[in-house]
Amino acid sequence: MKDTLKVLFVASESMPFVKTGGLADVAHTLPKTLAALGHDVRVMIPRHARIKAEHGDELETVASTWIPLGWRQKYLGIEKLRSGGVTYYFIDNEDYFGDKIYRGGNEENEQYLYFCKAVCESLSLIDFEPDVLHLNDWHTGMIPYLMKTRYNALLGREIPILFTIHNIEYQGKMGFTFMQDLLDIPDFYNTPEYLEADGCVNMMKSALVFADRISTVSPSYANELMDAWAGRGLEGIISARRADVTGILNGIDTEDFDPQNDALITAPFSADDLTGKRSNKKALRDEFSLSTTLTTPIVAMVSRLTEQKGISLVQYVLEELLCCEDVAFIMLGAGDPQFEGFFDYIAAKYPDTSGVYIGYNEQLAHRIYAGADFLLMPSEFEPCGLSQMIAQRYGTLPIVRETGGLIDTVESYNEFTGQGTGFSFLTYNAQDMLEAIRRALRVYRDKPVLRRLKKSAMAVDHSFLKAARQYEELYETMTKGLYG
Ligand code: ADP
């Protein structure tokens, strides 16, 4: 076994407490897996209102103090809870963290500038001296700057920092004076060399400049980020730091998502015995009052409704699909009101063959993964993507666009070799997506091939162990790199 490492994992959300997307899954599963490997990994997130409401009695107070935020004094509470072998620290300030995890605009910028400052202040208040700080996405983006310019010196030691990009689309941009007013940053840093990008300052960029190492959540996305179309203006700094950038493919929580042992689904099943999958399909069909037979394939989506997820492509051709093919469509998602409205329209116009749930529903997500035949994920870009891996684990074949982590996790069906774990298309184009769906529907009618693909998909190892080993390796080189 490797030396025990002490890692503080910092993020804006984490399961099993709060989740709006895949980041919360990773913030839960990676620390849990590293803890099982013998490391002392602790997670620090804001204490959002739900956490107090659901776990208030279990929280232990670690510190209660006031910290400077520019000219202000702001309250900082730190609370602690152990869950699944991992210690969680919660940053408490009810001005900043209440019902809304992300308030949008400058209110959100202020929430997370405070969070960055609070995390740095916490390092001298908690009973834990991390060997590595593992930061995630722009909400933690000013921590490397604060550590390098002030807090390492105050602590009397340099803590190596890994910054992981989960999605570069969201960068935490704001005017320099807004940030300066909260964090007292000298004018000197308002330059392209440091924080400035496109006339404003940018928390993600700051992390990319000041962190010791950078990782992202799939090898393909790591390469894509060096191109302008994916780098979203930060491709220059990422290319310049190419030697420090690593792509580590996420996994999923194979205990939470286990078709043989999932209390949220109608019947258990496995690759060797798929009869239970049929019961799940029937239950799903009944839940959405579809009037299709069990032989009609169900194509489903479980997704944030944003442009990134390729919803525009679905908008273009969904009616053509529903009108021309023997197929049912189920969508679970929330997001852009324009997309929500479109799916409401579909549900009203095609009640027999479509089912739509607008909102966030963890339990329903499990029932959909278990009961559907195909999962559609035509993302414009996808850093890693978890839904396609979960779907594969439940024998639901993904239909994806070849981008980012979708390339690294879905082997497109090859009709000559008979191999594959799903279907894919390359160009971001609605007709190409429709053709990929039609290919999947043709295979659906070829039972031996369908069965083989389901078995292959279910056999893929999506556990977090491989990723955890790679992070372990990376942390070790970081600690050795800086100390000796
Ligand atoms: P992203 O993080 O970009 O949203 P991922 O595929 O990495 O996409 O992760 C999405 C996670 O969120 C998956 O676990 C998926 O099942 C879940 N999810 C997405 N939308 C919903 C929803 N409306 N209800 C329940 N779970 C959802």
Side-chain angles (χ1 to χ4, degrees):
M1 146 139 185
K2 307 222 174 207
D3 293 344
T4 300
L5 289 160
K6 291 189 281 177
V7 181
L8 186 65
F9 192 96
V10 187
S12 54
E13 54 180 281
S14 172
M15 284 291 274
F17 304 104
V18 279
K19 168 172 166 179
T20 67
L23 170 63
D25 290 304
V26 177
H28 174 59
T29 321
L30 175 58
K32 190 170 103 171
T33 313
L34 285 164
L37 291 175
H39 300 295
D40 188 355
V41 185
R42 307 194 181 189
V43 179
M44 189 171 270
I45 62 171
R47 197 197 71 185
H48 302 292
R50 249 184 77 183
I51 299 173
K52 188 180 177 194
E54 290 171 12
H55 300 274
D57 297 345
E58 305 154 61
L59 297 174
E60 178 192 326
T61 301
V62 175
S64 177
T65 184
W66 294 80
I67 62 170
L69 194 68
W71 49 267
R72 311 153 191 79
Q73 288 291 314
K74 286 286 179 183
Y75 176 73
L76 166 63
I78 307 172
E79 289 169 354
K80 178 168 140 178
L81 169 66
R82 242 183 114 68
S83 166
V86 174
T87 298
Y88 291 83
Y89 294 104
F90 301 100
I91 298 294
D92 169 30
N93 179 307
E94 292 188 0
D95 284 350
Y96 290 124
F97 302 115
D99 287 332
K100 278 197 143 175
I101 300 176
Y102 307 114
R103 292 181 181 165
N106 265 350
E107 264 194 89
E108 183 171 328
N109 290 332
E110 186 169 338
Q111 278 181 292
Y112 287 96
L113 287 172
Y114 164 80
F115 181 60
C116 290
K117 179 89 176 172
V119 169
C120 295
E121 291 279 343
S122 303
L123 291 170
S124 55
L125 299 170
I126 56 176
D127 50 348
F128 184 61
E129 290 190 0
D131 300 318
V132 176
L133 274 180
H134 186 165
L135 312 177
N136 296 277
D137 266 354
W138 76 262
H139 304 98
T140 62
M142 293 312 292
I143 296 174
Y145 162 84
L146 290 169
M147 292 302 296
K148 303 271 173 186
T149 57
R150 181 177 168 84
Y151 286 90
N152 279 333
L154 288 178
L155 289 171
R157 66 193 190 99
E158 183 152 344
I159 309 179
I161 297 179
L162 172 65
F163 180 77
T164 299
I165 303 168
H166 294 261
N167 192 341
I168 208 158
E169 183 78 357
Y170 309 101
Q171 300 182 357
K173 294 179 183 175
M174 67 198 86
F176 176 68
T177 49
F178 185 84
M179 183 187 272
Q180 186 175 41
D181 181 50
L182 288 151
L183 294 187
D184 283 330
I185 300 178
D187 291 342
F188 168 73
Y189 288 103
N190 185 22
T191 57
E193 202 183 344
Y194 293 109
L195 309 183
E196 194 264 334
D198 282 340
C200 36
V201 285
N202 181 318
M203 287 174 70
M204 173 80 81
K205 178 172 180 195
S206 173
L208 298 178
V209 170
F210 287 99
D212 297 297
R213 296 292 294 262
I214 298 161
S215 74
T216 186
V217 289
S218 70
S220 291
Y221 193 57
N223 285 332
E224 290 173 359
L225 284 176
M226 297 182 207
D227 281 340
W229 73 269
R232 300 294 199 258
L234 299 181
E235 59 279 359
I237 174 72
I238 296 173
S239 301
R241 297 210 55 195
R242 177 182 297 264
D244 298 321
V245 178
T246 317
I248 299 179
L249 190 66
N250 279 339
I252 54 171
D253 190 325
T254 46
E255 286 173 13
D256 280 358
F257 295 105
D258 178 3
Q260 295 190 68
N261 192 12
D262 184 341
L264 299 174
I265 66 175
T266 305
F269 59 96
S270 67
D272 294 329
D273 181 4
L274 285 165
T275 35
K277 183 148 177 82
R278 212 175 148 75
S279 311
N280 284 292
K281 181 171 177 179
K282 184 172 183 313
L284 187 64
R285 191 196 60 177
D286 295 347
E287 181 169 356
F288 282 99
S289 309
L290 304 180
S291 58
T292 50
T293 67
L294 271 186
T295 56
T296 301
I298 298 179
V299 176
M301 295 185 79
V302 178
S303 181
R304 286 186 294 117
L305 299 182
T306 62
E307 201 61 60
Q308 173 199 340
K309 298 292 179 181
I311 312 295
S312 298
L313 303 191
V314 180
Q315 252 182 326
Y316 276 119
V317 294
L318 185 55
E319 289 200 69
E320 185 179 341
L321 183 72
L322 288 171
C323 291
C324 303
E325 301 283 344
D326 175 25
V327 67
F329 176 79
I330 286 179
M331 211 286 310
L332 163 62
D336 186 330
Q338 181 230 332
F339 294 138
E340 291 185 355
F342 167 73
F343 287 114
D344 279 339
Y345 154 80
I346 289 290
K349 188 163 173 194
Y350 303 93
D352 294 340
T353 52
S354 74
V356 170
Y357 183 107
I358 301 291
Y360 188 88
N361 188 326
E362 191 75 31
Q363 289 78 15
L364 178 57
H366 281 245
R367 295 197 292 276
I368 292 177
Y369 289 123
D373 296 292
F374 300 102
L375 180 94
L376 180 60
M377 211 167 159
S379 306
E380 183 195 356
F381 65 95
E382 193 58 72
C384 178
L386 302 178
S387 301
Q388 81 284 7
M389 293 194 251
I390 302 171
Q392 286 175 336
R393 187 145 166 81
Y394 285 83
T396 297
L397 299 175
I399 304 169
V400 303
R401 190 174 96 76
E402 290 166 27
T403 183
L406 299 176
I407 300 173
D408 300 335
T409 53
V410 177
E411 183 188 350
S412 195
Y413 171 56
N414 179 329
E415 59 193 76
F416 300 106
T417 64
Q419 301 300 308
T421 61
F423 301 86
S424 67
F425 62 101
L426 180 60
T427 312
Y428 191 67
N429 171 302
Q431 289 304 327
D432 286 18
M433 178 190 76
L434 185 59
E435 182 43 40
I437 298 173
R438 288 196 161 125
R439 223 177 323 133
L441 297 181
R442 281 196 295 277
V443 166
Y444 179 80
R445 291 189 285 273
D446 188 340
K447 293 300 167 203
V449 175
L450 182 69
R451 206 177 164 74
R452 193 168 64 241
L453 292 190
K454 282 189 181 178
K455 276 188 169 237
S456 305
M458 293 178 83
V460 180
D461 178 7
H462 287 305
S463 78
F464 230 107
L465 192 59
K466 199 166 149 207
R469 293 265 186 226
Q470 288 173 274
Y471 280 108
E472 185 181 50
E473 200 79 10
L474 184 54
Y475 298 150
E476 283 212 331
T477 54
M478 289 173 68
T479 50
K480 293 201 173 114
L482 288 182
Y483 296 118

